[in-house]
Amino acid sequence: MKKKMKKQSLLEQVFQDFLPDIWKLLSETTLFLSRTKEFYHYENQLREWRARLQVKRRSPEEISKIRGEITELRKQLRLEGYDLSLGRQNLIFAGFKNDACLGEGFRRVVLFFTNDDIYWLSGEDNHITLAEFLEHRIYEEHPGKLIPYKHYLWYRRQRADLILAGSDTETKEDFERLKAMAEANSLLFLSKLKKLR
């Protein structure tokens, strides 16, 4: 069942490559690649597509050819494990907030970093209780696993934005470290927090 859902999701993503305007498809692909370390490999190709589209904008054949090339690149990126839908999302850090932000639609989340993964738990309980529960769950599943970084945050989804804010339990130094790590690899963070709703 899970495999079928994943396949359908991939099928939907591929189908979406054929729907948008060619300029939108190129812009989304460029935005996604600009957030990867491999951007410099594709920069010239993206520039060439843009130039060809400007010169041949009235040629349906050329537009179709370019769309096929962009679609092939996107297919290749998906096969390499990239989630291109993350290119439309933004990770925003909004300073610190207190319990009053519940009225603004924020929710509590704790975020733990181990040496090989990111774990999170959201809920109605306070941050300390959520953290204790998540720590217990991690140690139960992976005895002896080290958790060097723990973060106590508020979050809110607003259209394509995931907004994170520090809570009263989060230190300023920890929040700045989290922000620096997330800005260095926003796609990794967005993929790990994709199911955070």
Side-chain angles (χ1 to χ4, degrees):
M1 179 92 174
K2 199 170 187 179
K3 272 189 177 179
K4 189 177 178 185
M5 284 175 63
K6 189 175 183 182
K7 195 173 184 181
Q8 183 182 15
S9 176
L10 183 62
L11 209 61
E12 286 170 0
Q13 288 179 23
V14 171
F15 182 66
Q16 287 173 352
D17 289 351
F18 292 96
L19 293 178
D21 169 84
I22 186 72
W23 284 103
K24 183 178 178 191
L25 187 63
L26 179 56
S27 292
E28 286 182 0
T29 305
T30 303
L31 178 62
F32 176 82
L33 286 169
S34 72
R35 293 180 171 181
T36 69
K37 294 176 183 173
E38 291 81 23
F39 178 65
Y40 71 96
H41 291 300
Y42 301 100
E43 198 169 2
N44 289 336
Q45 180 63 66
L46 294 164
R47 205 176 286 129
E48 180 197 325
W49 282 329
R50 193 167 294 283
R52 282 168 56 195
L53 279 173
Q54 287 172 343
V55 173
K56 304 279 188 172
R57 66 179 169 265
R58 298 194 191 280
S59 168
E61 296 83 17
E62 187 67 13
I63 289 171
S64 179
K65 186 177 177 184
I66 294 168
R67 180 186 298 277
E69 292 169 9
I70 295 171
T71 301
E72 189 57 37
L73 170 62
R74 291 170 67 91
K75 179 181 173 184
Q76 176 192 330
L77 291 167
R78 284 189 188 100
L79 290 173
E80 291 173 15
Y82 287 106
D83 181 349
L84 275 71
S85 69
L86 298 176
R88 293 182 221 116
Q89 295 183 23
N90 301 302
L91 187 58
I92 297 170
F93 287 87
F96 282 79
K97 299 202 175 280
N98 58 32
D99 288 3
C101 73
L102 286 165
E104 301 169 23
F106 280 87
R107 298 186 62 208
R108 290 179 183 89
V109 64
V110 290
L111 200 61
F112 286 7
F113 289 77
T114 64
N115 60 335
D116 61 353
D117 211 349
I118 299 173
Y119 296 85
W120 60 268
L121 181 66
S122 67
E124 302 298 317
D125 291 317
N126 67 50
H127 285 98
I128 300 299
T129 304
L130 288 173
E132 288 171 355
F133 187 76
L134 181 58
E135 187 171 347
H136 177 74
R137 192 170 77 191
I138 292 171
Y139 289 150
E140 200 171 75
E141 292 173 12
H142 310 281
K145 187 177 274 284
L146 297 176
I147 307 170
Y149 304 113
K150 298 178 182 181
H151 296 280
Y152 309 87
L153 309 168
W154 294 98
Y155 79 95
R156 182 174 74 174
R157 288 274 182 188
Q158 186 174 351
R159 291 181 293 282
D161 298 336
L162 172 58
I163 304 167
L164 297 176
S167 72
D168 292 336
T169 312
E170 180 82 358
T171 69
K172 185 176 181 183
E173 294 76 22
D174 287 346
F175 190 68
E176 289 303 317
R177 185 186 313 111
L178 174 68
K179 189 176 174 183
M181 291 187 325
E183 288 172 352
N185 196 345
S186 63
L187 287 178
L188 173 66
F189 272 71
L190 287 167
S191 68
K192 294 293 183 181
L193 302 176
K194 190 173 181 176
K195 294 182 179 174
L196 182 61
R197 296 282 168 210

